[in-house]
Amino acid sequence: MTEAYIYDAVRTPRGKGRKDGSLHEVSSLNLSTTVLNALKERNNLEGHAVEDVIWGNVTQVKENGGCLARTAVLASDLDEMIPGLAINRFCASGMEAVNLAANQVKGGAGKAYIAGGVEAMSRVPMGSDGAAIAVDPSVAMEMYFVPQGISADIIATEYGFSRDQADELAVESQRRAVAAWEDKRFDGSIVAVKDVNGLTILDNDEYIRPGTDMQSLGGLKPAFKEQGEVMPGFDKLALMKYPHLEKINHIHHAGNSSGIVDGSAGVLIGNKEFGEEYGLKPRAVIKQTAKIGLDPTIMLTGPVPATQKILKDAGMEIGDIDLFEVNEAFASVVLRFQQAFDVDPSIVNVNGGSIAMGHPLGATGAIIIGTLLDEMERQDKETGLATLCIASGMGAATILERV
């Protein structure tokens, strides 16, 4: 089978997903074209250089609707002969785009692809699409639907994670992210967002909160306690599903959950022939991909079965992986991953994660793949695994191997 190589990976900085965030006036379309144009320019792509642009985006309404991927190609400097495919696998959309592209290359369906994703959460808020699983009673009640924050607290309750453990992980995420930016570890992959006059709007992840400590986090109230216990009382629904739990322990808050931000990321993937044609050196091979479904109520434990599946499919063991990127949707997601595999926390999310820098839903999967590859090169490591939890009870994973 043909190998699928990563030749380049870039991302925009992440802006606060609020009206006062630096990227609020920048649309998902413009964030996308920033990334597409950077990949074209950095790799001297000409004409019908790639087979397709596969682009993840979660809230596909309003300015994100109408196949944003194709619109982004037409608005970018890429050739109009390149089509576009918009996809949605919730928080793993960017990763799924990369995985789909890699498997297309492996199967011989084109020499190269650009894959990634985008989310402008300050402009098109999460939930704007009115998803059936949340609002249609015929599905929501049968599936014991609860919001993701409640799911994260169910994980904490089920697996015995305390508020202090979650806060400690959050403090460490902030510390690592600050250290990574100070050490300029993201410089090779960050593409500044600029206005129509070429002036820089944002060139750094502005969501980071330097100086975050246990004391500052200790003053924050649990974000989902009222939602669970008072109105609309999701805890009762959860306890119907999991009667062995006496009470849901609400440990998550804004400081140990992923940040709402705007951002975009893209990965250039191709076979050996493509690299030779454009004089590009492959950075890594996409060794294996995986996705899986699971219990939709606890929902966010997907990184564990996805990792089990991808390792089995690749004929590998957890000890064969040098570095991990586990999306920090909520602290309990990462704590459960580390608990399940007895993984050393020092090799998980080395440069911080979404708690510190934010989680632009459709882009994060591509972001963590690029971050993982950068860190593998920095540390001269051979193998890395990236994984995310996914809404509605799914998980996805990707294994990279340097070449």
Side-chain angles (χ1 to χ4, degrees):
M1 182 180 288
T2 302
E3 296 283 18
Y5 298 102
I6 292 179
Y7 286 97
D8 200 7
V10 301
R11 70 172 178 93
T12 67
R14 286 169 270 196
K16 294 176 183 177
R18 307 191 307 246
K19 290 184 178 180
D20 63 347
S22 295
L23 299 183
H24 176 62
E25 298 300 324
V26 183
S27 68
S28 293
L29 176 61
N30 289 340
L31 290 172
S32 299
T33 57
T34 296
V35 168
L36 296 180
N37 288 341
L39 287 171
K40 179 183 187 298
E41 182 178 343
R42 285 162 58 116
N43 298 283
N44 298 311
L45 304 181
E46 296 294 339
H48 197 175
V50 299
E51 186 75 14
D52 204 353
V53 170
I54 306 178
W55 213 239
N57 179 240
V58 174
T59 312
Q60 296 188 14
V61 295
K62 300 180 180 178
E63 64 187 52
N64 293 346
C67 190
L68 180 60
R70 175 57 176 164
T71 308
V73 170
L74 294 174
S76 75
D77 296 332
L78 292 174
D79 195 289
E80 67 180 14
M81 292 182 67
I82 299 169
L85 172 65
I87 67 165
N88 179 9
R89 199 188 289 279
F90 295 119
C91 299
S93 297
M95 173 175 283
E96 188 62 28
V98 171
N99 290 354
L100 279 171
N103 289 321
Q104 291 282 83
V105 170
K106 289 181 179 182
K111 293 187 293 185
Y113 287 75
I114 291 174
V118 67
E119 210 75 41
M121 300 178 75
S122 70
R123 296 172 63 87
V124 184
M126 181 169 51
S128 297
D129 50 353
I133 195 167
V135 302
D136 186 336
S138 67
V139 179
M141 294 303 292
E142 186 177 338
M143 295 296 107
Y144 294 89
F145 170 81
V146 299
Q148 290 186 34
I150 302 293
S151 296
D153 286 337
I154 294 172
I155 293 173
T157 306
E158 177 71 40
Y159 296 102
F161 304 128
S162 68
R163 166 75 179 256
D164 279 353
Q165 286 177 291
D167 285 357
E168 286 167 0
L169 187 143
V171 169
E172 182 63 9
S173 179
Q174 295 283 352
R175 187 194 67 77
R176 292 182 183 188
V178 170
W181 271 100
E182 288 179 347
D183 200 31
K184 303 185 184 302
R185 296 180 195 172
F186 301 127
D187 280 10
S189 56
I190 288 287
V191 180
V193 179
K194 299 183 178 182
D195 65 15
V196 293
N197 298 312
L199 299 175
T200 297
I201 299 173
L202 187 66
D203 60 5
N204 65 286
D205 289 325
E206 70 176 350
Y207 188 81
I208 298 174
R209 297 178 295 278
T212 298
D213 57 22
M214 293 295 287
Q215 184 176 359
S216 61
L217 294 185
L220 299 177
K221 294 181 179 180
F224 310 104
K225 184 178 176 69
E226 249 185 61
Q227 197 176 44
E229 296 179 356
V230 186
M231 283 295 292
F234 284 110
D235 283 9
K236 290 184 178 179
L237 195 62
L239 293 172
M240 288 171 62
K241 179 75 175 281
Y242 311 111
H244 63 286
L245 301 177
E246 293 183 4
K247 185 178 186 293
I248 305 302
N249 182 21
H250 292 287
I251 71 167
H252 289 94
H253 50 74
N256 59 26
S257 306
S258 57
I260 295 173
V261 295
D262 304 331
S264 183
V267 182
L268 178 62
I269 301 155
N271 61 17
K272 184 179 180 181
E273 181 185 351
F274 168 78
E276 291 173 346
E277 180 180 347
Y278 284 91
L280 304 175
K281 182 180 178 181
R283 297 173 61 189
V285 63
I286 297 178
K287 182 178 177 66
Q288 195 71 42
T289 69
K291 61 269 187 186
I292 199 164
L294 55 132
D295 178 348
T297 308
I298 199 167
M299 181 184 333
L300 305 176
T301 54
V304 174
T307 296
Q308 291 168 335
K309 183 178 189 298
I310 200 170
L311 291 173
K312 181 180 179 182
D313 291 348
M316 301 173 72
E317 298 180 355
I318 198 73
D320 296 326
I321 306 298
D322 297 315
L323 293 170
F324 296 90
E325 282 288 324
V326 183
N327 186 39
E328 294 174 353
F330 298 89
S332 64
V333 174
V334 182
L335 290 170
R336 173 56 188 150
F337 182 88
Q338 292 173 172
Q339 179 191 65
F341 297 108
D342 193 24
V343 173
D344 181 351
S346 69
I347 61 172
V348 180
N349 301 343
V350 172
N351 297 306
S354 293
I355 289 174
M357 292 175 284
H359 175 19
L361 307 177
T364 304
I367 289 174
I368 67 172
I369 286 173
T371 299
L372 177 63
L373 179 53
D374 286 345
E375 187 61 22
M376 288 165 62
E377 292 174 340
R378 189 180 76 87
Q379 292 195 30
D380 195 23
K381 300 294 186 182
E382 295 301 314
T383 308
L385 185 151
T387 183
L388 301 94
C389 62
I390 309 173
S392 301
M394 294 183 281
T398 307
I399 293 178
L400 308 182
E401 196 170 75
R402 284 179 62 210
V403 292

